Structure formats: structure tokens, C-alpha cells
Amino acid sequence: MAKRKKRARARIPKDQRQNLRLWAEGAREQVLKPHLDKYAFERDLGWVKERAYLQKVCNEYHARIDWRLEDHEEPMLGPWDPDALVEAESLPDDEEIEKRKRIKLLNKRIRRWFTYRIQRRRNLASGLNPHKDPFAILLTKLTGLTAPPKARQAYQQFMHESHAEKIAPVVAERWAEARASNDPTTAGRKEPKAGFRARSSRNFLAKRKPQSQNEQRTRRPRRKRHTMQR
């Protein structure tokens, strides 16, 4: 595997960035990265296991990194004991509300951090896209598998079913009108293009649709009203 090329220039400092890309770079990543493999494993077991392990990671993150730190400020990490009790802070009501909002935001950001890296890792490990892999395409042809035909649109189905008796006369009439008016699309052509025929079919079907609906309503048998005998 080829070595990754070194960056030609240094990264922009966090306090000068205009987005949150690579927000966890540095000490925050040191807290999250050791849990990546375990989180991916728990995620495959279902959302219950995923949320339980995510809560464990978030508890460690907030215990080691103060929620008051700004995104560009680098925290100082100390030794971590997962069995140690974390004392709850006694804060005023307004500051407690601010803390909950901040922690909720960080928890969502942590989950997105894990999800992005898991998906990127699996995309790199999966190899070529099967729709672009020449061996997969060849194998599909050899097995005789074919993609299902694309469904026709309404005007295409109408052209397919009623071309000779309904569409062809309309196309011929409009083609004659276009040639009589010296339409540029008729220059040097004896017969209309497929686009002209399709456009004529769409216009004819659009005008005919309300009429056909009225015909269906008139053809629909009416129900007899039963009158009660007094």
C-alpha cells in the first residue's frame, strides 16, 4: 500500500476555521479514537447496544473535558479512571440549562464523528463499486442477468398503444403546419424527429386527458336509488 503523502502546508488553526471540520483533532480525538472499534462492533448489534456504549463514551468525554471549553481551545487531559465517581456540579438554573444544551450538542457531534469514520473505513475496505467493477459487469453478463426495463411514461405508453390510429395523424398534421410556417426544426428534413413526435404526443394527451375523464364518468353506470315505500 502506498504511503500517504505529507501535507504541503500546515493546517489552519482551529480559532481561524470557518466550519467544524476536524473539530476533534488533538486531545479530543485521543479520547474518542480508542473507542472506535468497540463502537463499530456495538453499532452492528443494534441501536440499543449502540446507544448504551455511546452514553459510556460521552460520560468519559465530559468527565475528562470541561463543557465550558470553546471548540478551538485544546483541553489538558489527565489520567482517567473509569471506576472513579464523578461529582455532580452545583450550578445556577440558567447555567445548568446552558450546560445541558452544550452537552446535548456535543453528544450529537460525537455520534457523527463515529458514524463518519465507520462509513469511510467500510467504503475503503469494500473495494470497487460493483456497478463500475469490470469483473462484476462481466460476471453479470455471463450469468444472463439483465436489469428490468424502464417503465414508460404516460405519453410513451400512449404512443406505443395508439400510434397508428391516433398519434400518427396528429404528428402528420402538426408537421405539415410546421413546414408551412417555415419552422427551423423542419429545415432539410422530410420526416419529424423523435422529439417532435414525443412533443406532439404529450400535447395531444394533455388536451385529451380531461375529455377522457369525462367520458369515463359518463360511461360509469349509475346506481339505482332505492326508495322506501310508505
Side-chain angles (χ1 to χ4, degrees), residues 60-108:
E60 178 184 346
Y61 180 91
H62 298 306
R64 302 183 68 181
I65 301 175
D66 190 10
W67 62 273
R68 299 178 183 84
L69 282 179
E70 298 292 338
D71 294 328
H72 64 273
E73 295 178 351
E74 195 69 13
M76 299 294 294
L77 298 179
W80 167 246
D81 183 7
D83 298 328
L85 295 176
V86 180
E87 297 182 1
E89 291 183 300
S90 179
L91 301 173
D93 293 341
D94 55 345
E95 195 171 354
E96 183 68 27
I97 294 174
E98 183 181 356
K99 178 183 177 181
R100 290 180 182 178
K101 290 181 179 179
R102 176 65 176 171
I103 288 178
K104 185 178 180 180
L105 176 66
L106 290 172
N107 290 348
K108 291 182 179 179

Coordinates of all heavy atoms in Angstrom, one line a residue, residues 60-108:
E60 N -17.4 9.5 29.6 CA -15.9 9.7 29.7 C -15.5 11.0 29.1 O -14.6 11.7 29.7 CB -15.2 8.6 29.1 CG -13.7 8.7 29.1 CD -13.0 7.6 28.3 OE1 -13.6 6.6 28.0 OE2 -11.7 7.8 28.1
Y61 N -16.0 11.4 28.0 CA -15.6 12.6 27.3 C -15.9 13.8 28.2 O -15.0 14.7 28.4 CB -16.4 12.7 26.0 CG -16.0 14.0 25.2 CD1 -15.0 14.0 24.3 CD2 -16.7 15.1 25.4 CE1 -14.7 15.1 23.5 CE2 -16.5 16.3 24.7 CZ -15.4 16.3 23.7 OH -15.1 17.4 23.0
H62 N -17.1 13.9 28.8 CA -17.5 15.1 29.6 C -16.8 15.1 30.9 O -16.6 16.1 31.5 CB -19.0 15.1 29.8 CG -19.7 15.2 28.5 ND1 -19.5 16.2 27.6 CD2 -20.7 14.5 27.9 CE1 -20.3 16.1 26.5 NE2 -21.1 15.0 26.7
A63 N -16.4 13.9 31.4 CA -15.6 13.8 32.7 C -14.2 14.3 32.5 O -13.6 14.9 33.4 CB -15.7 12.4 33.2
R64 N -13.6 14.1 31.3 CA -12.3 14.5 31.1 C -12.1 15.9 30.4 O -11.0 16.5 30.6 CB -11.6 13.4 30.2 CG -11.6 12.0 30.8 CD -10.9 11.0 29.9 NE -9.5 11.3 29.9 CZ -8.6 10.6 29.2 NH1 -9.0 9.6 28.4 NH2 -7.3 10.9 29.3
I65 N -13.2 16.3 29.7 CA -13.1 17.6 29.0 C -14.2 18.5 29.5 O -15.4 18.1 29.5 CB -13.2 17.4 27.5 CG1 -12.0 16.5 27.0 CG2 -13.2 18.8 26.8 CD1 -12.1 16.2 25.6
D66 N -13.9 19.7 30.0 CA -14.9 20.6 30.6 C -15.8 21.1 29.5 O -15.4 21.4 28.4 CB -14.2 21.7 31.3 CG -15.2 22.6 32.1 OD1 -16.3 22.1 32.2 OD2 -14.8 23.7 32.5
W67 N -17.1 21.1 29.8 CA -18.1 21.5 28.8 C -18.0 23.0 28.4 O -18.5 23.5 27.4 CB -19.5 21.2 29.2 CG -19.9 21.9 30.5 CD1 -19.7 21.5 31.8 CD2 -20.6 23.2 30.6 NE1 -20.2 22.4 32.7 CE2 -20.7 23.5 32.0 CE3 -21.1 24.1 29.7 CZ2 -21.4 24.6 32.4 CZ3 -21.7 25.3 30.1 CH2 -21.8 25.5 31.5
R68 N -17.3 23.8 29.3 CA -17.2 25.2 29.1 C -16.1 25.6 28.0 O -16.1 26.7 27.5 CB -16.8 25.9 30.4 CG -17.8 25.8 31.5 CD -17.4 26.4 32.8 NE -18.3 26.2 33.9 CZ -18.3 25.2 34.7 NH1 -17.4 24.2 34.5 NH2 -19.2 25.1 35.7
L69 N -15.3 24.6 27.7 CA -14.2 24.9 26.7 C -14.8 25.2 25.3 O -15.7 24.5 24.9 CB -13.3 23.7 26.6 CG -12.2 23.6 27.7 CD1 -11.4 22.3 27.4 CD2 -11.3 24.8 27.8
E70 N -14.3 26.2 24.7 CA -14.7 26.5 23.3 C -14.1 25.5 22.3 O -13.2 24.7 22.7 CB -14.2 27.9 22.9 CG -14.8 29.0 23.7 CD -16.3 29.2 23.5 OE1 -16.8 28.8 22.4 OE2 -17.0 29.8 24.3
D71 N -14.6 25.4 21.1 CA -14.2 24.4 20.2 C -12.8 24.5 19.8 O -12.1 23.5 19.5 CB -15.1 24.4 18.9 CG -16.5 24.1 19.2 OD1 -16.8 23.2 20.1 OD2 -17.4 24.6 18.6
H72 N -12.2 25.7 19.8 CA -10.8 25.9 19.4 C -9.9 25.8 20.5 O -8.6 25.8 20.3 CB -10.7 27.3 18.8 CG -10.9 28.4 19.7 ND1 -12.2 29.0 19.9 CD2 -10.1 29.2 20.5 CE1 -12.1 29.9 20.8 NE2 -10.9 30.1 21.2
E73 N -10.4 25.7 21.8 CA -9.5 25.5 22.9 C -9.1 24.1 23.1 O -9.9 23.2 23.1 CB -10.2 26.1 24.2 CG -10.4 27.6 24.1 CD -11.2 28.1 25.4 OE1 -11.6 27.2 26.2 OE2 -11.3 29.3 25.5
E74 N -7.8 23.9 23.3 CA -7.3 22.5 23.5 C -7.3 22.1 25.0 O -6.7 22.8 25.8 CB -5.9 22.4 22.9 CG -5.4 21.0 22.7 CD -6.1 20.3 21.6 OE1 -6.8 21.0 20.8 OE2 -5.9 19.1 21.5
P75 N -8.0 21.0 25.3 CA -8.0 20.6 26.7 C -6.8 19.9 27.2 O -6.0 19.3 26.4 CB -9.2 19.6 26.8 CG -9.3 19.1 25.4 CD -8.8 20.1 24.5
M76 N -6.5 19.9 28.5 CA -5.4 19.2 29.1 C -5.9 17.9 29.7 O -6.7 18.0 30.6 CB -4.7 20.1 30.1 CG -4.1 21.4 29.6 SD -2.8 21.1 28.5 CE -1.6 20.4 29.6
L77 N -5.5 16.8 29.1 CA -6.0 15.5 29.6 C -5.2 15.0 30.7 O -4.0 14.9 30.7 CB -6.0 14.5 28.4 CG -6.9 14.9 27.2 CD1 -6.8 13.8 26.2 CD2 -8.4 15.0 27.7
G78 N -5.9 14.6 31.8 CA -5.2 13.9 32.9 C -5.4 12.4 32.9 O -6.1 11.9 32.0
P79 N -4.9 11.7 33.8 CA -5.2 10.2 33.9 C -6.7 10.0 34.1 O -7.4 10.7 34.8 CB -4.3 9.8 35.1 CG -4.1 11.0 35.9 CD -4.1 12.2 34.9
W80 N -7.1 8.9 33.5 CA -8.6 8.6 33.6 C -8.8 7.2 34.2 O -8.2 6.2 33.9 CB -9.1 8.5 32.1 CG -10.5 7.9 32.0 CD1 -10.8 6.7 31.4 CD2 -11.7 8.4 32.6 NE1 -12.2 6.5 31.5 CE2 -12.7 7.5 32.2 CE3 -12.0 9.5 33.3 CZ2 -14.1 7.7 32.6 CZ3 -13.3 9.7 33.7 CH2 -14.3 8.8 33.4
D81 N -9.7 7.2 35.2 CA -10.1 6.0 35.9 C -11.5 5.8 35.7 O -12.4 6.5 36.2 CB -9.8 6.2 37.4 CG -10.1 4.9 38.2 OD1 -10.4 3.9 37.6 OD2 -10.1 4.9 39.5
P82 N -11.9 4.8 34.9 CA -13.3 4.6 34.6 C -14.2 4.2 35.8 O -15.4 4.3 35.8 CB -13.3 3.4 33.6 CG -12.0 2.7 33.8 CD -11.0 3.8 34.2
D83 N -13.5 3.7 36.9 CA -14.3 3.3 38.1 C -14.4 4.5 39.1 O -15.1 4.3 40.1 CB -13.6 2.1 38.8 CG -13.5 0.9 37.8 OD1 -14.5 0.7 37.0 OD2 -12.6 0.1 37.9
A84 N -13.8 5.6 38.8 CA -13.9 6.7 39.8 C -15.2 7.4 39.7 O -15.8 7.5 38.6 CB -12.8 7.7 39.5
L85 N -15.7 7.9 40.8 CA -17.0 8.6 40.8 C -16.8 10.0 40.4 O -15.8 10.7 40.9 CB -17.6 8.5 42.2 CG -18.1 7.1 42.7 CD1 -18.6 7.2 44.1 CD2 -19.1 6.5 41.8
V86 N -17.7 10.6 39.6 CA -17.6 11.9 39.1 C -18.6 12.7 39.9 O -19.8 12.4 39.9 CB -17.9 12.1 37.6 CG1 -17.8 13.5 37.2 CG2 -16.9 11.2 36.8
E87 N -18.1 13.8 40.6 CA -19.0 14.6 41.4 C -19.8 15.5 40.5 O -19.3 16.1 39.6 CB -18.2 15.4 42.4 CG -17.5 14.5 43.5 CD -16.7 15.4 44.5 OE1 -16.8 16.6 44.3 OE2 -16.0 14.8 45.3
A88 N -21.1 15.6 40.8 CA -22.0 16.5 40.1 C -21.8 17.9 40.5 O -21.6 18.2 41.7 CB -23.5 16.1 40.3
E89 N -21.8 18.8 39.5 CA -21.7 20.3 39.8 C -22.9 20.9 40.3 O -24.0 20.5 39.9 CB -21.3 21.0 38.5 CG -19.9 20.6 38.0 CD -19.5 21.4 36.7 OE1 -20.3 21.3 35.7 OE2 -18.5 22.2 36.8
S90 N -22.8 21.8 41.2 CA -23.9 22.6 41.7 C -23.9 23.9 41.0 O -23.1 24.8 41.3 CB -23.8 22.8 43.2 OG -24.9 23.5 43.7
L91 N -24.8 24.1 40.0 CA -24.8 25.3 39.2 C -26.1 26.0 39.3 O -27.2 25.4 39.7 CB -24.6 24.9 37.7 CG -23.3 24.1 37.4 CD1 -23.4 23.7 35.9 CD2 -22.1 25.0 37.6
P92 N -26.1 27.3 39.1 CA -27.4 28.1 39.0 C -28.3 27.5 37.9 O -27.8 26.8 37.0 CB -27.0 29.5 38.7 CG -25.5 29.6 39.1 CD -25.0 28.2 38.9
D93 N -29.6 27.9 37.9 CA -30.5 27.3 37.0 C -30.2 27.7 35.5 O -30.2 26.8 34.6 CB -31.9 27.8 37.3 CG -32.4 27.2 38.6 OD1 -31.8 26.2 39.1 OD2 -33.4 27.8 39.2
D94 N -29.8 29.0 35.3 CA -29.5 29.4 33.9 C -28.3 28.7 33.4 O -28.2 28.3 32.2 CB -29.4 30.9 33.9 CG -28.3 31.4 34.9 OD1 -27.9 30.6 35.8 OD2 -27.9 32.6 34.7
E95 N -27.3 28.5 34.3 CA -26.0 27.8 33.8 C -26.3 26.3 33.6 O -25.6 25.7 32.8 CB -24.9 28.1 34.8 CG -23.5 27.7 34.3 CD -22.4 28.2 35.3 OE1 -22.8 28.9 36.3 OE2 -21.3 27.9 35.0
E96 N -27.2 25.8 34.4 CA -27.5 24.4 34.3 C -28.2 24.1 32.9 O -27.9 23.1 32.3 CB -28.4 23.9 35.4 CG -28.7 22.4 35.4 CD -27.6 21.5 35.7 OE1 -26.6 22.0 36.4 OE2 -27.6 20.4 35.2
I97 N -29.0 25.0 32.5 CA -29.7 24.9 31.2 C -28.7 25.0 30.1 O -28.7 24.3 29.1 CB -30.8 26.0 31.1 CG1 -31.9 25.7 32.1 CG2 -31.4 26.0 29.7 CD1 -33.0 26.8 32.1
E98 N -27.8 25.9 30.2 CA -26.7 26.1 29.2 C -25.8 24.9 29.1 O -25.4 24.4 28.1 CB -25.9 27.3 29.6 CG -24.8 27.6 28.6 CD -24.0 28.9 28.9 OE1 -24.3 29.5 30.0 OE2 -23.0 29.2 28.2
K99 N -25.5 24.3 30.3 CA -24.7 23.0 30.3 C -25.4 21.9 29.6 O -24.8 21.2 28.8 CB -24.4 22.7 31.8 CG -23.6 21.4 31.9 CD -23.4 21.0 33.3 CE -22.6 19.7 33.4 NZ -22.4 19.2 34.8
R100 N -26.7 21.7 29.8 CA -27.5 20.6 29.2 C -27.5 20.8 27.7 O -27.4 19.9 26.9 CB -28.9 20.6 29.8 CG -28.9 20.1 31.2 CD -30.4 20.1 31.7 NE -30.5 19.7 33.1 CZ -31.6 19.6 33.8 NH1 -32.8 19.9 33.2 NH2 -31.6 19.2 35.1
K101 N -27.7 22.1 27.2 CA -27.7 22.3 25.8 C -26.4 22.0 25.2 O -26.3 21.4 24.1 CB -28.1 23.8 25.5 CG -29.5 24.1 25.8 CD -29.8 25.6 25.5 CE -31.3 25.9 25.8 NZ -31.6 27.3 25.5
R102 N -25.3 22.4 25.9 CA -24.0 22.2 25.3 C -23.6 20.7 25.3 O -23.1 20.2 24.3 CB -22.9 22.9 26.2 CG -21.5 22.7 25.8 CD -21.2 23.3 24.5 NE -19.7 23.2 24.2 CZ -19.2 23.4 23.0 NH1 -20.0 23.8 22.0 NH2 -17.9 23.3 22.8
I103 N -24.0 20.0 26.3 CA -23.7 18.5 26.3 C -24.5 17.8 25.3 O -24.0 16.9 24.6 CB -24.0 18.0 27.8 CG1 -22.9 18.5 28.7 CG2 -24.0 16.5 27.8 CD1 -23.1 18.0 30.2
K104 N -25.7 18.2 25.1 CA -26.6 17.6 24.1 C -26.0 17.8 22.7 O -26.0 16.9 21.8 CB -28.0 18.2 24.1 CG -29.0 17.5 23.2 CD -30.4 18.1 23.3 CE -31.4 17.4 22.4 NZ -32.7 18.0 22.6
L105 N -25.5 19.0 22.4 CA -24.8 19.3 21.2 C -23.6 18.5 21.0 O -23.3 17.9 19.9 CB -24.5 20.8 21.1 CG -23.8 21.3 19.9 CD1 -24.6 21.2 18.6 CD2 -23.3 22.8 20.0
L106 N -22.8 18.4 22.0 CA -21.5 17.6 21.9 C -21.8 16.1 21.7 O -21.1 15.5 21.0 CB -20.7 17.8 23.1 CG -20.1 19.2 23.3 CD1 -19.4 19.4 24.7 CD2 -19.0 19.5 22.2
N107 N -22.8 15.6 22.3 CA -23.2 14.2 22.2 C -23.5 13.9 20.7 O -23.1 12.8 20.2 CB -24.3 13.8 23.1 CG -23.9 13.8 24.6 OD1 -22.7 13.8 24.9 ND2 -24.8 13.7 25.5
K108 N -24.3 14.8 20.1 CA -24.7 14.6 18.7 C -23.4 14.6 17.8 O -23.3 13.9 16.9 CB -25.7 15.6 18.3 CG -27.0 15.5 18.9 CD -28.0 16.5 18.3 CE -29.4 16.3 18.9 NZ -30.3 17.4 18.4

